[in-house]
Amino acid sequence: FFGLATPKMAEAHLLYVEGKYSKAIKGYTSLINDGKAVSIHLCNRAQCYLQLNMGNKAMKDADEALKLDPDCTLATLRKAEAYMKLSKAKDAHAICMEQLDKVHDVELYVRFIEMKQQVDSGSEPVQCTNGSIAPVTRKPQAPTSNVTEATPTSTELQPTWTSPSPALAQPSPPKSQVNTLKEMVKETKTDFNEKILNSPAVHRALQQTPITHGVGQVDLDKQIALGYYKVNNGLHQEAISHFGDMLAKQPNLMAALLGRGTALALVGHYAAAETDFSRAISLQPNVADSYKRRSQVLGVMGKSLEAIQDLTNALHFEGDVADTYFQRASLLHKMGGHEEAHGDIQRAIQLDGTNKTYFNLLGLVLNCLGDSMEAVKAYERAIALDPRYKEAICSKGQAYRDWGMPKEAMENFLKSSEIDPNYWSAHHLRGFLNFSLGNYNACVKDSIRVVELDPKHRDALYLLALSYHNLGQCRKSVETYDKLLRFHPGDAAWYNRECCLILHHHFDVPMQGLNWDQLHNPYFKEAWCKRSPLGKLQGYEVQAGFKQSIPDLPVSTSPLPMSPEVDRLIQVADVVGSRFQLETPGFLPNVRQHRTFGLAALEVAQVVADFWQGNKPELGWRQMINIIVKWRQLSEVNDPVWWIDLLPHDLFHEGFGLQTPMLTGQLKVPRYYPYFDRCFSITKRLVQEQHVLTDEMAEGVCKAQTCPDLWAAMHRDFFVISPCHKLELQADEKPEGPRKAEERGYMEGTRITLVSKPEDRGFQFTIRTPGTPDRYKDYSVELEILWERMRRDHGTDRLADHIVSFYFFWVNFQPLTRGSAACGLVALFGLFLAAGEELTSVVKKGMQTDWEGITTPRCEDFLKIVTPWLYPNRSPSKLMAELPSVAGTLVTVRDHLLALNHKLYLK
């Protein structure tokens, strides 16, 4: 990190590295008083003052150093940094401009460049903890040239890049600088560099035939080996200076160029590292090592395409090398090119089947392609190589979660956290799983642990705030939202914070007269759905703070006492709600949502039964559905569930678009990809009916087997409209006009859309539903017809078909911003129960009933698909006579939340 000369200096440096700046100041003061190398010790003491925000004292030390040595560039840097600390950016800028033409040391040059750019961009004053050159033992030496010749194979440059959670395992870092310093404090006589030159490590390096990028001259190769040693042992700043000295004498020395470039990259000076590696490539274009090192720097700098090209060049010059394929696969994976990455990582494994990180990456790639269970197999091979490979174990848990297997996911997250209790990814992913299962108390514990490990972790703070919010702990929730927003200003969590305050103010308001849609500003609802930047929300009044008179829901580690009526409702609702769980990949069983759907279905059944029996004079289909919608709006605070026609007027008229992907980029979405073949076939048929095609285009469409094939045939993004045919009317039914279905025509169902996504190296194949006034008008007519038929025909065999038909048009309608399908299933169950029939199941294994409806144009055909398995699940029920009134028992919002949360932490 910096050079070492005497134990006293090493001790002062160690105190600096450990953050003990006041004690380090005393150490440097003692060295200054010794009267040797005073200017350097003044610079080092100035650095400590900068860390303590004592700009004036740092300035004084820098000036004293310059008096002693006017050519001390480090002292000039310290003076510029002191100016920045004192908010005198213009003075700092003047020093930078003056020094750029004079400074020869690469590290100092990079620092002046960074400071100049900071001033030019108007950024905040630099923080010396990350930006300043660390304390040194000697004045930077001799000019370094532009750049030049060779580097160590033993110096593995592994910049960390972002990848899907959990991240790729990174190699263990070199021996830490702090440990090196501790050893040097004990040194009394031996010169450090001489000791290294005579060390076994250097002798071993010299015995290579020849030394990597060496020149065959023993003395020069020794110096190269010394530089390699410093890089490999974490002495990066010292290595930079060492190779800089060599380059000043021999500007075209490959080893020094690649060694210095590696050290520069390891301390984060990527642009300077790129320059060194590029110079090396220009000198010897056929050295694969140069391309590989530059590719890693380019990858960190976001120049992924250039990095991939460098790795391709490396493979050209060195032939098949497993690690090069692995590195290229990693970059392709990061860019979303999972299919290409899959080929590369498979090739790496063919060349070396003993590397656990290769199998871990294979698992990550497969999971990002939607092949979660194949990913599990890859992780298992990685774990077989290292049973304590926490990253692979955690990744395996995530694959199980993505496939909808919570038990297996939980086991792997737990095992990963047991291996390393401080591995935050395991705690975070387990917390996210608990949240998705509706176990908010467990999510709170997991998220608190993550925040202990990383106080600014955005997602953990968000999950923690949402969990408190769902539990009715509004004060803790807002406190956590505020903490998140302090660390991440402008985050969309602000919308949830506002919703939390609205919830607080309505805890003790009767639920029956409440309309959540009307309580929220229409433009606020739109902005939240779109996660719009906060500045775009104009004319909105923020919510008032907490009222002391309104307490939060109580916190309890044991069940709160409930009345027998509430207990009975919850008991039945949990049984009923569990029947709504889809048995297809990707869907997790959320116990709180199950309870929500159960209670909503029971309330609908009671209200509708009263209406059919004449005990309730007025009830429209929308009032019935809104009972379910209100439960859904309350049950999960992270879901913006709104009626689309109650969004802003202009947005409603433009058409608020809902979108559900089967394929996004290269990911086959586990939940919805099972309907890909069906939708692809429909698209190929409808595109020929709804688009004007040339003969060549028509032939291409017919032959298309994949999204790339179909897009290539059309030469553009496009969509087709799946029709939804209207009902056939009976003689006395409104509206006036044609009676037969074919005469009444059809409405717009869903749009199946194919869009090229070059930034994701793939395509989006989705269903989209635009909510518009015309759509609301058309579907409302059909739903009103069926609603009246249900009222008229309750108690007859015809009722069942009316209920299923109502569900068909509802899921094609999709009038909510989200949750329409689930609300439709609840209505289906509730309406049958109102008729005295209980459904033992409302879903079929491997089937999503809403998708069956969306992709079937005619209601009568949908009935043929669904009724053969649905109707045998009906049985007479006495539940309605036995149960207390849901609306009469759970009166206020507080009552509803207490019921939703009751005993869930025990499940």
Side-chain angles (χ1 to χ4, degrees):
F1 194 76
F2 39 75
L4 305 170
T6 68
K8 197 170 182 180
M9 290 168 67
E11 187 171 9
H13 293 339
L14 176 60
L15 290 168
Y16 173 86
V17 169
E18 291 177 339
K20 300 173 182 177
Y21 304 123
S22 295
K23 290 184 178 180
I25 287 170
K26 293 179 181 177
Y28 292 127
T29 301
S30 176
L31 288 164
I32 291 166
N33 293 335
D34 288 345
K36 296 179 180 179
V38 174
S39 62
I40 294 301
H41 301 320
L42 284 165
C43 290
N44 290 340
R45 190 171 70 176
Q47 170 71 348
C48 295
Y49 283 131
L50 288 168
Q51 299 289 0
L52 295 171
N53 293 314
M54 301 170 72
N56 286 317
K57 288 196 173 186
M59 180 71 74
K60 183 177 178 181
D61 273 0
D63 284 337
E64 286 295 320
L66 287 168
K67 287 180 184 177
L68 293 170
D69 183 357
D71 296 323
C72 182
T73 311
L74 183 62
T76 308
L77 175 65
R78 293 287 183 258
K79 184 169 183 175
E81 289 174 330
Y83 274 132
M84 292 294 282
K85 184 67 70 176
L86 295 169
S87 299
K88 296 181 178 181
K90 289 184 179 179
D91 294 317
H93 188 271
I95 290 177
C96 292
M97 294 302 296
E98 179 185 346
Q99 290 297 315
L100 287 178
D101 292 330
K102 298 180 179 180
V103 67
H104 297 290
D105 182 272
V106 170
E107 280 298 278
L108 295 176
Y109 180 80
V110 168
R111 187 68 192 97
F112 280 119
I113 283 284
E114 289 175 344
M115 195 181 304
K116 176 183 176 296
Q117 290 174 342
Q118 210 156 14
V119 175
D120 290 342
S121 65
S123 303
E124 292 294 315
V126 292
Q127 297 299 313
C128 297
T129 45
N130 296 322
S132 297
I133 304 298
V136 295
T137 58
R138 57 181 174 77
K139 186 167 66 177
Q141 294 182 11
T144 46
S145 70
N146 287 345
V147 248
T148 42
E149 223 195 271
T151 183
T153 50
S154 58
T155 306
E156 285 299 321
L157 172 59
Q158 294 286 355
T160 304
W161 47 64
T162 304
S163 56
S165 294
L168 284 171
Q170 296 298 321
S172 299
K175 186 178 180 182
S176 74
Q177 170 198 348
V178 174
N179 289 337
T180 303
L181 286 169
K182 286 179 178 176
E183 291 298 318
M184 287 309 300
V185 170
K186 300 174 185 177
E187 294 286 348
T188 54
K189 297 179 181 178
T190 309
D191 175 78
F192 182 57
N193 286 350
E194 282 299 319
K195 182 176 180 180
I196 293 175
L197 284 170
N198 294 316
S199 70
V202 172
H203 284 299
R204 282 195 301 272
L206 289 171
Q207 289 169 6
Q208 295 181 16
T209 316
I211 188 170
T212 308
H213 303 301
V215 295
Q217 298 176 20
V218 175
D219 290 342
L220 187 54
D221 284 354
K222 264 196 169 188
Q223 292 299 319
I224 293 170
L226 173 60
Y228 292 177
Y229 179 92
K230 291 180 177 180
V231 174
N232 290 339
N233 286 275
L235 304 174
H236 303 134
Q237 300 286 357
E238 176 70 9
I240 290 165
S241 296
H242 178 80
F243 285 125
D245 292 345
M246 296 179 74
L247 288 166
K249 299 170 185 175
Q250 297 190 46
N252 293 338
L253 187 60
M254 278 282 286
L257 276 172
L258 295 180
R260 186 174 69 176
T262 299
L264 284 167
L266 289 169
V267 296
H269 295 313
Y270 303 121
E274 181 190 0
T275 300
D276 274 1
F277 295 142
S278 297
R279 174 66 176 155
I281 289 169
S282 69
L283 291 168
Q284 294 187 25
N286 59 350
V287 176
D289 196 25
S290 306
Y291 290 104
K292 288 197 284 187
R293 291 181 187 281
R294 188 173 70 175
S295 77
Q296 292 176 312
V297 169
L298 291 170
V300 175
M301 295 170 72
K303 300 178 181 180
S304 298
L305 289 173
E306 296 172 47
I308 288 170
Q309 184 57 53
D310 269 1
L311 290 168
T312 303
N313 290 336
L315 286 167
H316 173 74
F317 290 118
E318 71 181 351
D320 280 358
V321 174
D323 187 63
T324 309
Y325 280 112
F326 169 74
Q327 290 187 39
R328 190 169 70 176
S330 300
L331 281 169
L332 287 164
H333 172 58
K334 175 190 172 187
M335 292 175 62
H338 310 301
E339 292 175 354
E340 302 96 316
H342 183 256
D344 271 3
I345 195 61
Q346 287 279 36
R347 183 61 181 142
I349 289 170
Q350 288 172 4
L351 294 167
D352 179 5
T354 63
N355 192 315
K356 64 181 183 180
T357 60
Y358 294 0
F359 288 105
N360 188 48
L361 178 58
L362 176 61
L364 290 171
V365 167
L366 287 167
N367 205 41
C368 285
L369 287 169
D371 297 325
S372 299
M373 300 316 293
E374 289 300 311
V376 166
K377 294 177 184 177
Y379 294 132
E380 287 173 344
R381 294 186 68 180
I383 296 163
L385 292 167
D386 179 1
R388 294 182 62 79
Y389 191 4
K390 64 185 181 187
E391 291 85 0
I393 295 168
C394 197
S395 296
K396 181 182 172 187
Q398 182 64 15
Y400 277 129
R401 183 205 178 281
D402 291 343
W403 203 248
M405 301 173 68
K407 180 182 177 182
E408 293 82 356
M410 196 68 77
E411 288 172 355
N412 281 275
F413 294 146
L414 179 61
K415 186 175 180 180
S416 183
S417 64
E418 287 173 345
I419 292 170
D420 182 357
N422 294 329
Y423 184 43
W424 66 260
S425 286
H427 296 288
H428 175 57
L429 291 173
R430 186 174 65 192
F432 186 31
L433 175 61
N434 276 315
F435 186 89
S436 302
L437 297 174
N439 192 348
Y440 302 122
N441 285 286
C443 181
V444 165
K445 293 178 183 177
D446 286 324
S447 299
I448 285 175
R449 178 60 181 143
V450 178
V451 173
E452 287 173 351
L453 296 169
D454 181 359
K456 296 182 181 181
H457 195 290
R458 181 209 172 275
D459 291 340
L461 287 168
Y462 190 47
L463 278 179
L464 182 58
L466 288 173
S467 297
Y468 284 138
H469 192 162
N470 274 315
L471 292 168
Q473 291 288 303
C474 290
R475 287 172 173 82
K476 284 186 177 181
S477 177
V478 168
E479 179 186 346
T480 310
Y481 284 133
D482 286 343
K483 184 182 292 186
L484 187 158
L485 290 165
R486 282 197 300 274
F487 292 138
H488 308 278
D491 191 275
W494 176 83
Y495 294 105
N496 302 86
R497 181 188 186 279
E498 291 293 286
C499 292
C500 188
L501 289 168
I502 292 174
L503 174 65
H504 161 80
H505 290 298
H506 293 84
F507 265 154
D508 299 311
V509 174
M511 188 75 157
Q512 271 198 307
L514 208 58
N515 188 313
W516 291 110
D517 267 278
Q518 292 175 354
L519 285 174
H520 293 75
N521 179 295
Y523 291 98
F524 173 91
K525 292 189 291 184
E526 176 193 358
W528 186 25
C529 288
K530 295 179 177 179
R531 299 298 195 270
S532 299
L534 306 187
K536 291 189 175 182
L537 185 58
Q538 302 295 325
Y540 173 77
E541 287 189 24
V542 297
Q543 296 300 311
F546 292 105
K547 290 185 178 179
Q548 269 193 324
S549 59
I550 304 176
D552 286 341
L553 264 63
V555 180
S556 177
T557 55
S558 58
L560 295 169
M562 292 284 181
S563 69
E565 291 80 8
V566 173
D567 272 332
R568 177 61 178 152
L569 284 175
I570 290 173
Q571 180 186 8
V572 174
D574 285 350
V575 173
V576 168
S578 65
R579 297 173 188 171
F580 294 100
Q581 179 60 39
L582 293 177
E583 296 185 61
T584 57
F587 288 92
L588 292 166
N590 186 311
V591 291
R592 180 172 157 123
Q593 294 287 42
H594 290 171
R595 182 174 293 177
T596 298
F597 296 155
L599 288 168
L602 296 178
E603 185 173 354
V604 162
Q606 291 173 343
V607 171
V608 172
D610 280 348
F611 172 62
W612 286 346
Q613 293 163 15
N615 299 327
K616 188 176 180 65
E618 288 293 332
L619 184 70
W621 67 264
R622 181 154 173 165
Q623 289 173 284
M624 179 273 293
I625 286 284
N626 205 42
I627 292 170
I628 306 167
V629 172
K630 287 200 293 184
W631 276 102
R632 182 65 181 84
Q633 289 169 324
L634 190 65
S635 69
E636 174 46 68
V637 298
N638 195 38
D639 292 344
V641 178
W642 312 114
W643 288 91
I644 292 174
D645 64 337
L646 296 180
L647 292 174
H649 183 268
D650 50 350
L651 178 67
F652 178 43
H653 278 261
E654 290 172 8
F656 181 88
L658 303 172
Q659 177 171 286
T660 306
M662 291 164 277
L663 181 73
T664 177
Q666 296 182 2
L667 170 65
K668 295 173 289 188
V669 180
R671 287 186 173 193
Y672 308 118
Y673 193 77
Y675 282 88
F676 175 89
D677 288 341
R678 183 171 183 170
C679 289
F680 193 77
S681 177
I682 292 170
T683 303
K684 287 177 63 176
R685 174 173 54 81
L686 292 179
V687 77
Q688 298 183 70
E689 298 174 7
Q690 299 175 6
H691 291 261
V692 178
L693 306 179
T694 65
D695 291 342
E696 182 184 355
M697 292 169 69
E699 183 180 358
V701 168
C702 289
K703 291 181 177 179
Q705 299 294 317
T706 64
C707 285
D709 292 343
L710 189 53
W711 195 92
M714 295 296 292
H715 307 298
R716 65 179 186 273
D717 299 340
F718 69 94
F719 66 85
V720 295
I721 300 173
S722 174
C724 179
H725 289 266
K726 296 181 179 181
L727 291 163
E728 183 164 320
L729 297 182
Q730 298 170 8
D732 59 340
E733 288 181 324
K734 295 181 180 180
E736 301 295 334
R739 307 282 93 187
K740 293 184 179 294
E742 57 267 23
E743 294 173 348
R744 295 190 68 219
Y746 61 85
M747 305 171 288
E748 181 175 320
T750 193
R751 296 180 180 183
I752 307 177
T753 305
L754 180 60
V755 176
S756 175
K757 286 288 186 180
E759 67 274 19
D760 297 326
R761 303 176 79 87
F763 294 84
Q764 270 200 341
F765 190 59
T766 65
I767 56 170
R768 297 186 182 187
T769 307
T772 61
D774 286 343
R775 185 182 189 85
Y776 262 74
K777 181 180 177 181
D778 287 342
Y779 277 93
S780 294
V781 169
E782 306 307 302
L783 292 171
E784 187 62 43
I785 292 168
L786 289 165
W787 183 247
E788 177 56 26
R789 287 181 184 179
M790 284 187 273
R791 185 198 62 77
R792 183 191 64 203
D793 292 338
H794 75 274
T796 71
D797 291 341
R798 295 186 296 275
L799 178 63
D801 281 0
H802 297 334
I803 293 173
V804 177
S805 298
F806 185 93
Y807 172 83
F808 169 80
F809 283 103
W810 171 263
V811 295
N812 273 281
F813 184 13
Q814 297 283 321
L816 306 176
T817 54
R818 64 179 300 162
S820 292
C823 290
L825 273 182
V826 174
L828 180 79
F829 186 97
L831 290 168
F832 272 108
L833 190 57
E837 292 186 327
E838 191 173 342
L839 292 171
T840 55
S841 175
V842 289
V843 296
K844 182 181 179 182
K845 188 173 183 179
M847 177 185 285
Q848 296 179 48
T849 316
D850 57 320
W851 278 76
E852 296 293 332
I854 289 167
T855 56
T856 303
R858 299 178 185 277
C859 184
E860 55 266 31
D861 293 331
F862 176 71
L863 288 167
K864 292 174 184 176
I865 294 170
V866 172
T867 56
W869 62 264
L870 183 66
Y871 284 3
N873 288 325
R874 293 183 295 168
S875 61
S877 175
K878 296 182 180 179
L879 268 181
M880 299 302 295
E882 300 172 355
L883 285 177
S885 163
V886 175
T889 305
L890 305 175
V891 179
T892 64
V893 174
R894 186 184 298 274
D895 295 336
H896 283 66
L897 279 173
L898 286 169
L900 287 180
N901 294 332
H902 186 54
K903 294 184 180 180
L904 278 189
Y905 65 93
L906 298 176
K907 289 183 178 290

